[in-house]
Amino acid sequence: MLLNILKYPDPFLKTKAAEVAGIDEVKALIPDMIETMYHARGIGLAATQVGIDKRIAVLDVPDENDERKERGKNLIVLINPRILHAEGSIVYEEGCLSIPGITADVQRYAALRVSSLDRDGKTVEFDAQGLFAIAIQHEIDHLDGVLFIDRLSRLKREMIKRKIRKALEAEERAL
Ligand code: NI
């Protein structure tokens, strides 16, 4: 089932999501999140973006030189993800399904060690680099109620907010 993706400035996007206590309570939700991510042509989606107060994210980040971007190849489900170790620095022009039409350079850690539960509730630990590491940090931010525009300088953020506000006002006047 397709879920509705909340758009900025929906206040729910500021929710700090709750830890998942038991895997059974979220099992049914995961296929819907995956379907919604693919339908929106995203490479990551956090539960807070679909109005659910749980620490779950789905990601399918294409390999850097993969032109075919085969869907499902790198699909991963993260439940209660935690960054154990982070190092380096990388800047990437990020976008977000909750802030359509806006991109901006964001600085993140370049490499991570991550601990998480998988979709069967098993603890997994893995390393992430490059775009995969960026996407994990972007999704964990969502689970903490933080958007990529919150990571920009105040000046840049205000510019973007003004642009979004204008677009929303124009939409309200549209016929
Ligand atoms: Ni996002």
Side-chain angles (χ1 to χ4, degrees):
M1 185 182 75
L2 279 182
L3 306 168
N4 178 40
I5 299 177
L6 303 178
K7 303 291 186 316
Y8 174 87
D10 191 302
F12 193 86
L13 292 168
K14 288 183 181 289
T15 304
K16 184 170 165 56
E19 293 270 323
V20 174
I23 211 77
D24 290 334
E25 60 174 298
V26 298
K27 262 203 162 143
L29 171 66
I30 289 165
D32 290 344
M33 283 183 63
I34 294 169
E35 185 187 345
T36 303
M37 171 179 72
Y38 286 140
H39 183 261
R41 299 178 166 278
I43 60 169
L45 183 73
T48 37
Q49 290 181 276
V50 289
I52 290 160
D53 178 10
K54 302 266 183 218
R55 300 189 76 80
I56 308 168
V58 297
L59 296 113
D60 189 356
V61 179
D63 296 328
E64 251 147 87
N65 298 310
D66 181 6
E67 294 300 320
R68 290 170 58 218
K69 304 200 187 321
E70 192 185 323
R71 190 175 274 191
K73 188 165 165 249
N74 294 331
L75 178 62
I76 185 167
V77 177
L78 300 179
I79 299 171
N80 300 340
R82 269 190 317 133
I83 295 173
L84 301 176
H85 179 79
E87 60 182 41
S89 162
I90 190 170
V91 174
Y92 184 80
E93 189 180 349
E94 294 186 23
C96 179
L97 294 174
S98 292
I99 316 176
I102 302 283
T103 60
D105 282 345
V106 182
Q107 187 173 5
R108 304 274 189 187
Y109 291 111
L112 308 175
R113 180 83 185 159
V114 178
S115 169
S116 174
L117 300 180
D118 69 10
R119 61 194 302 176
D120 301 314
K122 215 171 68 208
T123 302
V124 290
E125 251 189 62
F126 58 91
D127 294 313
Q129 273 119 30
L131 184 54
F132 185 39
I134 291 166
I136 290 171
Q137 291 168 84
H138 181 114
E139 299 315 326
I140 291 178
D141 265 0
H142 272 305
L143 300 178
D144 290 328
V146 174
L147 300 172
F148 80 88
I149 56 172
D150 297 323
R151 298 237 172 240
L152 305 175
S153 72
R154 195 194 152 116
L155 188 71
K156 189 92 215 275
R157 185 168 56 248
E158 289 312 318
M159 252 167 58
I160 287 175
K161 285 184 174 175
R162 207 158 37 236
K163 191 171 162 189
I164 296 170
R165 212 155 36 229
K166 272 193 180 157
L168 288 174
E169 280 166 14
E171 211 172 280
E172 275 166 20
R173 283 194 307 268
L175 300 170

